[in-house]
Amino acid sequence: GNSVTQMEGPVTLSEEAFLTINCTYTATGYPSLFWYVQYPGEGLQLLLKATKADDKGSNKGFEATYRKETTSFHLEKGSVQVSDSAVYFCALSDSWGKLQFGAGTQVVVTP
Amino acid sequence: DAGVIQSPRHEVTEMGQEVTLRCKPISGHNSLFWYRQTMMRGLELLIYFNNNVPIDDSGMPEDRFSAKMPNASFSTLKIQPSEPRDSAVYFCASSLRGTGGEGYTFGSGTRLTVV
């Protein structure tokens, strides 16, 4: 079956540092891939998505590229802010639109 | 659109009491999902509906949990009787099935505390 594996947290870094969160997946067919973000006390929000191989999703300075050859969808941001502190979830969607989430990675950005 | 609306935002109840959580999905969405989030287990899919019909309830932890979707604009998740281990944040999400590239829209969640 489908599965998503993402790096464990917490990831702690200083403001303006470079952020990478690794995500790899196992799936049949050609899933769509997503990153969701959850700020404290809130629900999950869609951050970015990619629907086919080599697509790059981007939003709010975050980027992720759909790599079919390595079955990966790593999230990156060049310069994080304190406001980026949140839990980040990688997910894939099967052909029916049902999402499979990773375990989530907590990111803590310090001033 | 106001997004996915859940109520109440917070619920504190005594063990043994019945709890009902409510969700209004985005108009036009035909799939609805109920999730539970805890520190220990993370995000768990409890049940999902398509066109108001339950498709997969294998994530419902036990018979104390039940969910209904009487129409396209309303769903409930009921716990009867509630237990302290049911304390968690419960999220509802909706999507338009068949558009696998769109993902879900989540509500803000209901934080349930059973004492």
Side-chain angles (χ1 to χ4, degrees):
Chain A
N2 296 342
S3 68
V4 176
T5 302
Q6 58 182 108
M7 60 190 290
E8 291 188 18
V11 174
T12 303
L13 55 167
S14 300
E15 207 165 22
E16 299 184 2
F18 185 87
L19 170 68
T20 299
I21 305 176
N22 290 338
C23 172
T24 57
Y25 68 90
T26 302
T28 54
Y30 304 96
S32 295
L33 301 175
F34 305 83
W35 278 100
Y36 279 79
V37 59
Q38 184 179 29
Y39 299 104
E42 299 184 12
L44 279 70
Q45 302 173 24
L46 179 63
L47 180 60
L48 54 83
K49 65 180 182 183
T51 57
K52 60 183 186 297
D54 300 326
D55 267 3
K56 176 185 284 188
S58 62
N59 186 24
K60 299 181 181 179
F62 290 88
E63 293 183 340
T65 301
Y66 190 141
R67 300 289 187 196
K68 189 170 183 296
E69 63 277 11
T70 55
T71 62
S72 64
F73 193 55
H74 304 323
L75 183 68
E76 297 181 335
K77 186 174 185 182
S79 177
V80 293
Q81 305 301 312
V82 172
S83 58
D84 294 323
S85 298
V87 180
Y88 293 81
F89 292 88
C90 184
L92 65 81
S93 172
D94 64 19
S95 58
W96 296 101
K98 182 180 170 185
L99 286 182
Q100 179 77 39
F101 286 93
T105 302
Q106 184 181 8
V107 172
V108 178
V109 181
T110 58
Chain B
D1 197 316
V4 175
I5 299 173
Q6 292 186 245
S7 64
R9 285 300 307 272
H10 302 273
E11 177 80 32
V12 180
T13 190
E14 292 186 347
M15 182 174 63
Q17 296 298 305
E18 177 180 296
V19 175
T20 299
L21 311 181
R22 298 173 176 79
C23 176
K24 176 178 167 53
I26 288 177
S27 177
H29 281 187
N30 57 7
S31 291
L32 183 140
F33 307 82
W34 281 102
Y35 282 87
R36 178 172 68 176
Q37 187 177 40
T38 61
M39 289 291 292
M40 291 295 293
R41 293 176 172 268
L43 198 61
E44 302 174 276
L45 176 64
L46 300 178
I47 185 172
Y48 78 94
F49 295 84
N50 183 251
N51 293 326
N52 312 337
V53 176
I55 302 300
D56 183 357
D57 65 354
S58 59
M60 296 286 261
E62 46 196 279
D63 292 345
R64 297 184 297 106
F65 286 69
S66 62
K68 294 182 180 179
M69 192 165 185
N71 57 61
S73 59
F74 185 64
S75 178
T76 59
L77 178 67
K78 185 179 294 186
I79 308 173
Q80 165 63 18
S82 58
E83 296 183 3
R85 60 194 168 115
D86 302 330
S87 297
V89 181
Y90 291 81
F91 289 104
C92 175
S94 70
S95 72
L96 186 60
R97 183 186 177 191
T99 60
E102 294 305 314
Y104 300 170
T105 301
F106 280 79
S108 298
T110 295
R111 180 173 295 276
L112 173 65
T113 303
V114 183
V115 298

